[in-house]
């Protein structure tokens, strides 16, 4: 659904720039240049969002029935959220073990990274696990 919304946004922007091209009598190069710049800008802006974390947070708070297999199969960016949800105790032992396995593997991989591979969330996680270990 997120991809569809992004596509619809880009389509709307394309229609607006086409209207501006016709209304202000611009050439085809204007249309290519402006649409490419807007698409590139939106690509950069949307890549700043941690989508897996956002999807997991939304589903944990609002979904009437959780598809935990889907959430577990997302990238490791949601491991901390799933681990916090696991601690509530409302999961089966099988799902709890899957989440625990995912979380522990995520922690190991974060610990093995060097500073160049960190995202802000990884940096926060590493600093909290350091203080918890000492």
């Amino acid at each position: 659904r997120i991809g569809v919304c992004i596509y619809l946004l880009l389509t709307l922007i394309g229609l607006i720039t086409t209207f501006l091209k016709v209304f202000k009598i611009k050439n085809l190069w204007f249309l290519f240049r402006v649409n490419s710049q807007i698409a590139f800008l939106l690509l950069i802006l949307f890549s700043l969002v941690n989508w897996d974390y956002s999807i997991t947070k939304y589903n944990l708070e609002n979904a009437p029935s959780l598809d935990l297999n889907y959430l577990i199969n997302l990238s490791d960016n949601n491991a901390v959220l799933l681990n916090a949800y696991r601690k509530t105790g409302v999961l089966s032992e099988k799902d709890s073990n899957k989440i625990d396995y995912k979380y522990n593997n995520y922690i190991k991989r974060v610990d093995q990274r060097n500073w160049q591979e960190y995202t802000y969330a990884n940096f926060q996680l590493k600093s909290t696990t350091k203080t918890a270990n000492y």
Side-chain angles (χ1 to χ4, degrees):
R1 286 185 242 165
I2 295 169
V4 171
C5 290
I6 292 170
Y7 177 76
L8 289 174
L9 177 65
L10 287 171
T11 304
L12 178 65
I13 291 170
L15 287 171
I16 291 169
T17 56
T18 303
F19 174 76
L20 290 175
K21 176 197 175 297
V22 172
F23 185 70
K24 293 187 176 184
I25 310 172
K26 299 284 186 176
N27 58 10
L28 188 61
W29 180 247
F30 165 80
L31 194 63
F32 288 144
R33 182 176 42 86
V34 170
N35 284 343
S36 298
Q37 290 171 349
I38 292 172
F40 188 68
L41 178 70
L42 288 177
L43 179 68
I44 290 171
L45 290 176
F46 288 139
S47 68
L48 295 174
V49 176
N50 188 349
W51 291 108
D52 291 337
Y53 183 87
S54 301
I55 290 167
T56 303
K57 186 173 182 176
Y58 178 83
N59 281 330
L60 291 177
E61 292 174 356
N62 300 319
S65 65
L66 279 178
D67 185 3
L68 276 174
N69 287 326
Y70 169 71
L71 295 177
I72 291 169
N73 289 326
L74 290 175
S75 74
D76 288 338
N77 293 334
N78 67 353
V80 175
L81 271 179
L82 288 175
N83 189 50
Y85 184 71
R86 178 184 66 88
K87 292 178 181 178
T88 62
V90 295
L91 299 175
S92 68
E93 188 169 336
K94 180 182 174 186
D95 289 335
S96 180
N97 289 338
K98 284 182 186 178
I99 292 172
D100 189 45
Y101 178 76
K102 178 178 181 162
Y103 178 76
N104 288 330
N105 283 337
Y106 175 61
I107 295 297
K108 286 177 190 174
R109 279 194 299 275
V110 168
D111 285 339
Q112 294 170 352
R113 293 179 180 166
N114 60 19
W115 67 272
Q116 296 164 330
E117 297 174 303
Y118 284 160
T119 61
Y120 181 67
N122 295 149
F123 181 74
Q124 282 182 319
L125 179 67
K126 185 152 181 146
S127 65
T128 58
T129 55
K130 267 188 187 177
T131 57
N133 291 336
Y134 295 115

